[in-house]
């Protein structure tokens, strides 16, 4: 049964066990952080980016890459105790910390941050316009918001997701087409700077991706019936056999850059 948008309950990472396998199954390939961070630093220059917020930092998989790429201090803001508890201690050394909080009420002072980075999280925010106003408040003038996310356009190109039609529908309902996302953020007073799609090596092989997917650490797949998950997995298995288990596995997602106007 397809739920109407207003009936979709926000997904709470503290009510499920997704955190247990998240880090393992959503591990970033060696080239992935560099791809995204080099694209972001074409706008947020490394030399002038000293303090970064990773909003909805989850298990912290981007914290250390952000710190080392920008040689900056990084604050992860994360509401879920489960997800932050999985952040590896070695990642939380010098210049990296995680603070409990939500995008709609960021526990930081105004005009203090050089870059807000959000990966795979805006679809979980309960009040996105309020979140974007908060981001604008904490950003220094002339600095940037970078959003790494699927949109309707990139979601519809994910071959594996077609095997889980109601899971795909969950994400379609809570995510936006590219142009609507740009409008939504600009309505908060931020300025649109750039959009691109980035093709990343998500897993070295289809086999690796299949094994990761079978751990079900994807929120949309937690929201469909177990039988549908199992039959989708079987369908995807046949797809992997057809493509070849050892074939490298790529996905494309959107990168948006917005700026806070110079005063
Ligand atoms: C799919 S995970 C992504 C985590 C991380 N950014 C990454 O790419 O691995 C989404 C995260 O957004 C967090 N989240 C949910 N609602 C949020 C909110 N209102 N403000 C900030 N983060 C939120 C969740 O708790 C979860 O850790």
């Amino acid at each position: 049964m397809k739920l109407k948008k207003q009936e979709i309950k926000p997904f709470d990472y503290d009510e499920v066990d997704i955190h247990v396998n998240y880090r393992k199954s959503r591990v970033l390939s060696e080239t992935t952080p560099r791809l995204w961070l080099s694209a972001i630093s074409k706008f947020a220059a490394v030399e002038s980016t000293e303090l970064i917020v990773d909003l909805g930092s989850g298990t912290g998989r981007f914290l250390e890459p952000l710190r080392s790429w920008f040689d900056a201090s990084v604050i992860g803001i994360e509401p879920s105790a489960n997800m932050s508890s999985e952040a590896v201690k070695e990642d939380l050394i010098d210049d990296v910390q995680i603070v409990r909080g939500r995008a709609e009420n960021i526990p930081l002072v105004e005009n203090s941050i050089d870059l807000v980075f959000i990966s795979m999280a805006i679809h979980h925010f309960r009040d996105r316009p309020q979140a974007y106003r908060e981001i604008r408040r904490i950003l220094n003038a002339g600095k940037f918001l970078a959003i790494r996310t699927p949109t309707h356009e990139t979601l519809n190109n994910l071959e594996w997701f077609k095997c889980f039609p109601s899971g795909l529908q969950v994400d379609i309902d809570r995510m936006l087409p590219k142009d609507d996302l740009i409008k939504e953020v600009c309505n908060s007073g931020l300025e649109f700077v750039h959009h691109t799609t980035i093709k990343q090596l998500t897993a070295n092989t289809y086999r690796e991706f299949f094994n990761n997917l079978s751990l079900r650490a994807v929120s949309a797949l937690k929201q469909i019936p177990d039988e549908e998950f199992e039959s989708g997995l079987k369908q995807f298995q046949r797809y992997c056999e057809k493509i070849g288990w050892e074939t490298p596995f790529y996905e494309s997602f959107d990168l948006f850059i917005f700026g806070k106007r110079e005063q």
Side-chain angles (χ1 to χ4, degrees), residues 11-14 22 26 28 54-62 77-80 83-84 101-104 117-127 148 217 219:
F11 186 83
D12 187 338
Y13 280 74
D14 281 341
Y22 190 92
R26 305 278 290 263
L28 298 168
D54 180 357
L55 196 53
S57 51
T59 59
R61 60 185 181 150
F62 275 99
I77 307 273
E78 171 56 48
S80 158
M83 290 295 272
S84 9
R102 292 194 167 274
E104 295 83 350
F117 170 80
I118 308 175
S119 163
M120 305 290 166
I122 52 171
H123 53 289
H124 292 297
F125 296 173
R126 291 173 191 188
D127 183 347
R148 172 179 185 264
S219 63

Side-chain angles (χ1 to χ4, degrees), residues 54-78:
D54 180 357
L55 196 53
S57 51
T59 59
R61 60 185 181 150
F62 275 99
L63 292 174
E64 173 52 26
L66 283 164
R67 189 205 63 76
S68 53
W69 181 270
F70 286 97
D71 191 17
S73 300
V74 184
I75 304 169
I77 307 273
E78 171 56 48

